[in-house]
Amino acid sequence: MTAAPELSEARLAQAETIDALSTYQFGWSDSDAAGATAKRGLDEDVVRGISHLKDEPEWMLERRLKALKLFERQPLPTWGADLSEIDFDNIKYFVRSTEQKVTSWEDLPDDIKYTYDRIGIPEAEKQQMIAGVSAQYESEVVYNSIREDLAQQGVVFLDTDSGLKEYPDLFEEYFGSVIPAGDNKFSALNTAVWSGGSFVYVPKGVHVKIPLQAYFRINTENMGQFERTLIIVDEDAYVHYVEGCTAPVYRSDSLHSAVVEIIVKKGGRCRYTTIQNWSTNVYNLVTKRTKAEEGATMEWVDGNIGAKVTMKYPSVWMMGEHAKGSVLSVAFAGKGQHQDTGSKMLHLAPHTSSEIISKSISREGGRSSYRGLVQVNPGAHHSRSTVKCDALLVDTKSRSDTYPYVDIREDDVTMGHEATVSKISDDQLFYLMSRGLTEEEAMAMIVRGFIEPIAKELPMEYALELNRLIEMQMEGAVG
Amino acid sequence: MAKLEISDLHVSVITDDTSKEILRGVNLTIDAGETHAIMGPNGSGKSTLAYSLAGHPKYRVTSGTVLLDGTDVLSMTVDQRARAGLFLAMQYPVEIPGVTTSNFLRTAATAVRGQAPGVRQWLKEVKDEMESLQMDPDFAQRSVNEGFSGGEKKRHEILQMSLLKPKIAILDETDSGLDIDALRIVSEGVNRYKADSAAAGEAVGVLLITHYTRILRYIQPDFVHVFVAGQVAESGGSELAEELEADGYVRFTGQAVPA
Ligand SMILES: Nc1ncnc2c1ncn2[C@@H]1O[C@H](COP(=O)(O)OP(=O)(O)OP(=O)(O)O)[C@@H](O)[C@H]1O
Ligand SMILES: [Mg+2]
């Protein structure tokens, strides 16, 4: 009994911060001068208009127009969540909020600055906690900064539009190479009308030590947000990209349909972290995929707390020997929400390994589904895969489903699959309440404990945000 | 000064479709500063009494009253009872995966005390108590009760008692599963809290449920109650415990306990 307790002040400060922030809300909106005038509905003119405004090369316009055709031809998916209520004619496909990009907070228009101040980015930036911030406000990235040292190492962190202008060759080589327009209806839509998003290039052998962060907000009623992100991690390089998003609450439904393409070259490693907290009228239909070359590692950390409907299955195509893919995901489905999430792992080379860990929480009639595919192709011998999904039901009217698909075309593989569904037990609640916690606090604590294996993988401020969001979600859990 | 009054308490346990009466008219008054030991055969309803006082939803009170300082306890929720000063050290503490013990303790202390304790003072408080109970500091960062041995769970219960500073503490078989040294350490923990609370002018009343007289040599009871078939069958001083140890419950149950 000589060592001092491991209880550090930092730990306690964290707990206190969580307490202090538990009343946080995101349901405000700024004056909507830019959004009010944008046109609703989608046709060739809209697509041409976007491309023209951005002064894009001809090949990009052609890609967009082709994608538009594909979008029009493809039916809505018949599996997953109910998308029948999306009114594509009532969506604004492009909203431009500021004329030029800016590189310092002071230059942002006041209402936008105010919005970001409420999310707290400038503080984080000032504390030098992040390597660069790319904030997307409405359809275009209006703010972009990167530390000098990163720039000196040759790391590129730009909004996607600038990426296209400044790195046309890289762009033409990789854009759509992981997720072709015709992959699904929503990747086609995104390819036709994309704007904003991030473009990241990490040169050979460069390790970006601190996370690159981007924040996204939708602020215009009925506005679709179609950001497009392209990340290229060169050989033996490493980057952690963090995307967070929060949308204010509006009356009618809006659509968020992003495409994220990542290439991790030989021996490289990429981690991509998202916590989305769209307001509960947003359809969040996102395609995320990585091609991992020999010995490369891709890690998706994915939190889905908000949105009315989420369909998102971050994927890794393991193209080279010893490539690794992992997905750690947590989904929270509250009242009126359907989180249909999971992953796709494609083993295309020998000695590849994948891991999917999925945790979901459903309450108040919310529905969460795990939908995953593990495919081991001929020749991908000695591949390994582990899938573990745990569902927690907070009450009896909520729902959780598991759709684990496995497609093995090779003999010599190791597969593991585990799935559990649990309820918050009376005895756990009783134990915590007998220590003075209200029922609501007790439930929130049990839920936070349930997702802790994922929260601990997040950067500190995101772990705090996740806890805070879970707490907000659990408010009124006792009725 | 605290006083817990249990009068003619009848309690049924609720299972899926049945309910079975377990407590059949319990009468017991615990005053501040007093230590009451309850001994009784397995299944006689001792834990049921403890859970009912704390408000576990599986147990339904069908009649009777429980008053804490004259206030009706039975109409309070579980957490209200805790905040009113009732504490139950459980026979089988529950695991809460993913929640660190340090976070749990601080959240509980904040809830019961009505405000978050100052960080520095709190750290010292926890450190001192853990040292006294000879708990490894690592426990603070482990999930609540997860993977704790039986004896470690019991120490953790007593740690919570000393941090939450209840007016009435119910200890349900806190001595079971403790090795000889641990029994002494835990007993000393209880005695320390009894002394500290008395010194602070809020002497704790203790209801100690046990099967063994050994703990009673460390924690001197003022009263011993024999609990049989959901009732207090007889009350006396510590000599009653010695008699039970020698003769078993046969005088009260009318039948020899099977060997
Ligand atoms: N949740 C429950 N479901 C079904 N029966 C129960 C439940 N709780 C208690 N009982 C029954 O009530 C009776 C009293 O149980 P209780 O746990 O109170 O006994 P005890 O005196 O604490 O015994 P022990 O000395 O073994 O701890 C037993 O017959 C037990 O089976
Ligand atoms: Mg018992």
Side-chain angles (χ1 to χ4, degrees), chain A residues 87-120:
Chain A
D87 182 0
F88 289 101
D89 295 331
N90 200 30
I91 288 168
K92 293 171 184 173
Y93 289 86
F94 184 66
V95 181
R96 174 168 284 222
S97 64
T98 52
E99 283 307 313
Q100 312 121 340
K101 279 177 281 296
V102 293
T103 50
S104 90
W105 286 104
E106 281 63 41
D107 297 340
L108 284 169
D110 283 345
D111 57 341
I112 293 181
K113 216 156 49 184
Y114 178 61
T115 301
Y116 281 121
D117 275 341
R118 293 192 59 169
I119 305 179

Short mmCIF file of all heavy atoms in Angstrom, two decimals, chain A residues 87-120:
data_model
loop_
_atom_site.label_atom_id
_atom_site.label_comp_id
_atom_site.label_asym_id
_atom_site.label_seq_id
_atom_site.Cartn_x
_atom_site.Cartn_y
_atom_site.Cartn_z
N ASP A 87 -37.95 13.61 -50.39
CA ASP A 87 -38.50 14.34 -51.52
C ASP A 87 -37.34 15.04 -52.25
O ASP A 87 -36.94 16.14 -51.89
CB ASP A 87 -39.53 15.36 -51.00
CG ASP A 87 -40.18 16.12 -52.15
OD1 ASP A 87 -39.82 15.86 -53.33
OD2 ASP A 87 -41.03 16.98 -51.86
N PHE A 88 -36.84 14.35 -53.28
CA PHE A 88 -35.65 14.86 -53.96
C PHE A 88 -35.88 16.21 -54.64
O PHE A 88 -34.95 16.96 -54.89
CB PHE A 88 -35.13 13.84 -54.98
CG PHE A 88 -34.51 12.62 -54.34
CD1 PHE A 88 -35.23 11.44 -54.25
CD2 PHE A 88 -33.23 12.67 -53.82
CE1 PHE A 88 -34.67 10.31 -53.65
CE2 PHE A 88 -32.66 11.56 -53.22
CZ PHE A 88 -33.38 10.37 -53.13
N ASP A 89 -37.15 16.50 -54.96
CA ASP A 89 -37.45 17.77 -55.63
C ASP A 89 -37.47 18.95 -54.68
O ASP A 89 -37.52 20.10 -55.10
CB ASP A 89 -38.81 17.68 -56.34
CG ASP A 89 -38.77 16.65 -57.44
OD1 ASP A 89 -37.68 16.44 -58.01
OD2 ASP A 89 -39.82 16.04 -57.72
N ASN A 90 -37.47 18.66 -53.41
CA ASN A 90 -37.60 19.73 -52.43
C ASN A 90 -36.28 20.03 -51.72
O ASN A 90 -36.25 20.63 -50.66
CB ASN A 90 -38.69 19.36 -51.41
CG ASN A 90 -39.21 20.59 -50.69
OD1 ASN A 90 -39.21 21.69 -51.24
ND2 ASN A 90 -39.62 20.40 -49.44
N ILE A 91 -35.20 19.58 -52.34
CA ILE A 91 -33.89 19.75 -51.71
C ILE A 91 -33.06 20.77 -52.48
O ILE A 91 -33.10 20.83 -53.70
CB ILE A 91 -33.16 18.38 -51.65
CG1 ILE A 91 -33.85 17.50 -50.59
CG2 ILE A 91 -31.68 18.54 -51.36
CD1 ILE A 91 -33.44 16.07 -50.64
N LYS A 92 -32.32 21.59 -51.73
CA LYS A 92 -31.39 22.51 -52.37
C LYS A 92 -30.06 21.79 -52.52
O LYS A 92 -29.49 21.31 -51.55
CB LYS A 92 -31.20 23.75 -51.51
CG LYS A 92 -32.45 24.60 -51.39
CD LYS A 92 -32.26 25.69 -50.37
CE LYS A 92 -33.56 26.48 -50.19
NZ LYS A 92 -33.47 27.44 -49.08
N TYR A 93 -29.57 21.72 -53.76
CA TYR A 93 -28.38 20.94 -54.02
C TYR A 93 -27.09 21.73 -53.94
O TYR A 93 -26.02 21.19 -53.92
CB TYR A 93 -28.52 20.21 -55.36
CG TYR A 93 -29.54 19.09 -55.24
CD1 TYR A 93 -30.89 19.34 -55.44
CD2 TYR A 93 -29.14 17.82 -54.86
CE1 TYR A 93 -31.83 18.33 -55.28
CE2 TYR A 93 -30.05 16.81 -54.69
CZ TYR A 93 -31.41 17.07 -54.91
OH TYR A 93 -32.33 16.06 -54.73
N PHE A 94 -27.24 23.04 -53.93
CA PHE A 94 -26.02 23.82 -53.78
C PHE A 94 -26.33 25.15 -53.13
O PHE A 94 -27.17 25.90 -53.59
CB PHE A 94 -25.36 24.06 -55.15
CG PHE A 94 -24.04 24.77 -55.03
CD1 PHE A 94 -22.97 24.16 -54.40
CD2 PHE A 94 -23.89 26.05 -55.54
CE1 PHE A 94 -21.75 24.81 -54.28
CE2 PHE A 94 -22.67 26.71 -55.43
CZ PHE A 94 -21.59 26.09 -54.80
N VAL A 95 -25.66 25.43 -52.05
CA VAL A 95 -25.82 26.71 -51.38
C VAL A 95 -24.44 27.28 -51.14
O VAL A 95 -23.58 26.62 -50.59
CB VAL A 95 -26.54 26.54 -50.02
CG1 VAL A 95 -26.73 27.88 -49.36
CG2 VAL A 95 -27.88 25.84 -50.21
N ARG A 96 -24.26 28.50 -51.59
CA ARG A 96 -22.95 29.11 -51.38
C ARG A 96 -23.09 30.19 -50.32
O ARG A 96 -23.87 31.12 -50.45
CB ARG A 96 -22.48 29.73 -52.70
CG ARG A 96 -21.19 30.51 -52.59
CD ARG A 96 -20.65 30.84 -53.96
NE ARG A 96 -20.05 29.67 -54.56
CZ ARG A 96 -18.89 29.71 -55.24
NH1 ARG A 96 -18.25 30.84 -55.39
NH2 ARG A 96 -18.41 28.63 -55.79
N SER A 97 -22.35 30.08 -49.24
CA SER A 97 -22.60 31.00 -48.14
C SER A 97 -21.61 32.16 -48.11
O SER A 97 -21.98 33.25 -47.75
CB SER A 97 -22.56 30.27 -46.81
OG SER A 97 -21.28 29.75 -46.57
N THR A 98 -20.39 31.95 -48.46
CA THR A 98 -19.47 33.09 -48.51
C THR A 98 -18.72 33.04 -49.84
O THR A 98 -18.50 31.97 -50.39
CB THR A 98 -18.43 33.06 -47.38
OG1 THR A 98 -17.81 31.79 -47.40
CG2 THR A 98 -19.06 33.33 -46.04
N GLU A 99 -18.32 34.16 -50.28
CA GLU A 99 -17.72 34.21 -51.60
C GLU A 99 -16.30 33.63 -51.62
O GLU A 99 -15.95 32.86 -52.47
CB GLU A 99 -17.73 35.64 -52.13
CG GLU A 99 -19.10 36.05 -52.64
CD GLU A 99 -19.69 35.09 -53.66
OE1 GLU A 99 -18.97 34.70 -54.60
OE2 GLU A 99 -20.88 34.72 -53.54
N GLN A 100 -15.50 34.01 -50.62
CA GLN A 100 -14.15 33.47 -50.66
C GLN A 100 -13.86 32.62 -49.45
O GLN A 100 -14.48 32.75 -48.41
CB GLN A 100 -13.09 34.60 -50.65
CG GLN A 100 -13.34 35.68 -51.61
CD GLN A 100 -13.48 37.01 -50.90
OE1 GLN A 100 -13.75 37.08 -49.71
NE2 GLN A 100 -13.30 38.08 -51.65
N LYS A 101 -12.87 31.80 -49.64
CA LYS A 101 -12.37 31.03 -48.50
C LYS A 101 -11.53 31.96 -47.64
O LYS A 101 -10.94 32.91 -48.11
CB LYS A 101 -11.52 29.87 -48.99
CG LYS A 101 -12.37 28.71 -49.42
CD LYS A 101 -11.54 27.60 -49.96
CE LYS A 101 -11.11 27.86 -51.38
NZ LYS A 101 -12.21 27.94 -52.33
N VAL A 102 -11.50 31.67 -46.35
CA VAL A 102 -10.71 32.48 -45.45
C VAL A 102 -9.75 31.58 -44.70
O VAL A 102 -9.95 30.39 -44.62
CB VAL A 102 -11.60 33.23 -44.45
CG1 VAL A 102 -12.45 34.25 -45.17
CG2 VAL A 102 -12.48 32.25 -43.68
N THR A 103 -8.71 32.17 -44.17
CA THR A 103 -7.75 31.34 -43.46
C THR A 103 -7.60 31.73 -42.00
O THR A 103 -6.78 31.19 -41.30
CB THR A 103 -6.35 31.39 -44.11
OG1 THR A 103 -6.02 32.75 -44.29
CG2 THR A 103 -6.34 30.68 -45.45
N SER A 104 -8.40 32.67 -41.53
CA SER A 104 -8.37 32.92 -40.08
C SER A 104 -9.79 33.16 -39.60
O SER A 104 -10.67 33.57 -40.36
CB SER A 104 -7.49 34.11 -39.75
OG SER A 104 -8.25 35.30 -39.74
N TRP A 105 -10.01 32.88 -38.35
CA TRP A 105 -11.36 32.99 -37.79
C TRP A 105 -11.89 34.40 -37.91
O TRP A 105 -13.08 34.60 -38.15
CB TRP A 105 -11.36 32.56 -36.33
CG TRP A 105 -11.23 31.09 -36.20
CD1 TRP A 105 -10.12 30.40 -35.85
CD2 TRP A 105 -12.23 30.13 -36.52
NE1 TRP A 105 -10.38 29.06 -35.90
CE2 TRP A 105 -11.66 28.86 -36.32
CE3 TRP A 105 -13.56 30.21 -36.95
CZ2 TRP A 105 -12.35 27.68 -36.51
CZ3 TRP A 105 -14.26 29.04 -37.15
CH2 TRP A 105 -13.66 27.80 -36.94
N GLU A 106 -11.02 35.38 -37.73
CA GLU A 106 -11.47 36.76 -37.73
C GLU A 106 -12.14 37.13 -39.05
O GLU A 106 -13.04 37.95 -39.10
CB GLU A 106 -10.28 37.71 -37.47
CG GLU A 106 -9.87 37.80 -36.01
CD GLU A 106 -9.38 36.48 -35.43
OE1 GLU A 106 -8.64 35.77 -36.15
OE2 GLU A 106 -9.77 36.13 -34.31
N ASP A 107 -11.71 36.47 -40.13
CA ASP A 107 -12.25 36.82 -41.44
C ASP A 107 -13.62 36.21 -41.72
O ASP A 107 -14.26 36.53 -42.72
CB ASP A 107 -11.28 36.37 -42.54
CG ASP A 107 -9.95 37.11 -42.44
OD1 ASP A 107 -9.92 38.19 -41.81
OD2 ASP A 107 -8.95 36.60 -42.97
N LEU A 108 -14.06 35.30 -40.88
CA LEU A 108 -15.36 34.68 -41.13
C LEU A 108 -16.49 35.68 -40.88
O LEU A 108 -16.38 36.52 -39.99
CB LEU A 108 -15.56 33.49 -40.19
CG LEU A 108 -14.81 32.20 -40.53
CD1 LEU A 108 -14.90 31.23 -39.35
CD2 LEU A 108 -15.37 31.56 -41.79
N PRO A 109 -17.56 35.57 -41.66
CA PRO A 109 -18.73 36.41 -41.37
C PRO A 109 -19.24 36.12 -39.95
O PRO A 109 -19.10 35.00 -39.46
CB PRO A 109 -19.78 35.95 -42.39
CG PRO A 109 -19.03 35.20 -43.43
CD PRO A 109 -17.77 34.69 -42.81
N ASP A 110 -19.84 37.16 -39.33
CA ASP A 110 -20.19 37.03 -37.92
C ASP A 110 -21.11 35.86 -37.60
O ASP A 110 -20.92 35.17 -36.61
CB ASP A 110 -20.82 38.34 -37.41
CG ASP A 110 -19.74 39.39 -37.17
OD1 ASP A 110 -18.56 39.00 -37.12
OD2 ASP A 110 -20.10 40.57 -37.03
N ASP A 111 -22.14 35.67 -38.44
CA ASP A 111 -23.08 34.62 -38.07
C ASP A 111 -22.43 33.24 -38.13
O ASP A 111 -22.70 32.36 -37.33
CB ASP A 111 -24.36 34.67 -38.91
CG ASP A 111 -24.09 34.56 -40.40
OD1 ASP A 111 -22.94 34.81 -40.82
OD2 ASP A 111 -25.03 34.23 -41.14
N ILE A 112 -21.54 33.07 -39.08
CA ILE A 112 -20.84 31.79 -39.20
C ILE A 112 -19.88 31.61 -38.03
O ILE A 112 -19.80 30.55 -37.41
CB ILE A 112 -20.11 31.70 -40.56
CG1 ILE A 112 -21.16 31.63 -41.68
CG2 ILE A 112 -19.18 30.50 -40.60
CD1 ILE A 112 -20.59 31.51 -43.06
N LYS A 113 -19.19 32.70 -37.70
CA LYS A 113 -18.26 32.64 -36.58
C LYS A 113 -19.00 32.27 -35.30
O LYS A 113 -18.56 31.45 -34.51
CB LYS A 113 -17.59 34.00 -36.40
CG LYS A 113 -16.15 33.90 -35.97
CD LYS A 113 -15.30 35.12 -36.32
CE LYS A 113 -15.90 36.45 -35.93
NZ LYS A 113 -15.08 37.57 -36.39
N TYR A 114 -20.19 32.85 -35.17
CA TYR A 114 -20.99 32.61 -33.99
C TYR A 114 -21.35 31.12 -33.90
O TYR A 114 -21.24 30.49 -32.85
CB TYR A 114 -22.25 33.47 -34.06
CG TYR A 114 -23.18 33.27 -32.90
CD1 TYR A 114 -22.76 33.54 -31.59
CD2 TYR A 114 -24.48 32.80 -33.09
CE1 TYR A 114 -23.60 33.35 -30.52
CE2 TYR A 114 -25.33 32.61 -32.03
CZ TYR A 114 -24.89 32.88 -30.74
OH TYR A 114 -25.74 32.69 -29.69
N THR A 115 -21.76 30.58 -35.05
CA THR A 115 -22.11 29.16 -35.08
C THR A 115 -20.94 28.30 -34.65
O THR A 115 -21.06 27.41 -33.82
CB THR A 115 -22.55 28.76 -36.50
OG1 THR A 115 -23.66 29.56 -36.87
CG2 THR A 115 -22.95 27.30 -36.55
N TYR A 116 -19.79 28.61 -35.20
CA TYR A 116 -18.62 27.81 -34.85
C TYR A 116 -18.19 28.02 -33.41
O TYR A 116 -17.75 27.09 -32.74
CB TYR A 116 -17.46 28.10 -35.80
CG TYR A 116 -17.64 27.39 -37.10
CD1 TYR A 116 -17.71 28.07 -38.30
CD2 TYR A 116 -17.76 26.00 -37.10
CE1 TYR A 116 -17.90 27.40 -39.49
CE2 TYR A 116 -17.94 25.32 -38.29
CZ TYR A 116 -18.01 26.03 -39.48
OH TYR A 116 -18.19 25.35 -40.64
N ASP A 117 -18.33 29.26 -32.94
CA ASP A 117 -17.98 29.50 -31.55
C ASP A 117 -18.81 28.61 -30.63
O ASP A 117 -18.33 28.11 -29.62
CB ASP A 117 -18.22 30.97 -31.18
CG ASP A 117 -17.02 31.82 -31.56
OD1 ASP A 117 -15.94 31.24 -31.76
OD2 ASP A 117 -17.18 33.05 -31.68
N ARG A 118 -20.07 28.42 -31.02
CA ARG A 118 -20.92 27.59 -30.17
C ARG A 118 -20.49 26.14 -30.20
O ARG A 118 -20.67 25.42 -29.24
CB ARG A 118 -22.37 27.73 -30.58
CG ARG A 118 -22.87 29.13 -30.29
CD ARG A 118 -24.35 29.25 -30.41
NE ARG A 118 -25.06 28.36 -29.50
CZ ARG A 118 -26.35 28.45 -29.29
NH1 ARG A 118 -27.07 29.37 -29.91
NH2 ARG A 118 -26.96 27.63 -28.48
N ILE A 119 -19.95 25.70 -31.31
CA ILE A 119 -19.42 24.33 -31.33
C ILE A 119 -18.09 24.25 -30.61
O ILE A 119 -17.70 23.23 -30.10
CB ILE A 119 -19.24 23.83 -32.79
CG1 ILE A 119 -20.54 23.96 -33.56
CG2 ILE A 119 -18.83 22.36 -32.79
CD1 ILE A 119 -20.41 23.50 -35.00
N GLY A 120 -17.41 25.36 -30.59
CA GLY A 120 -16.18 25.38 -29.80
C GLY A 120 -14.91 25.12 -30.57
O GLY A 120 -13.90 24.75 -30.00
#
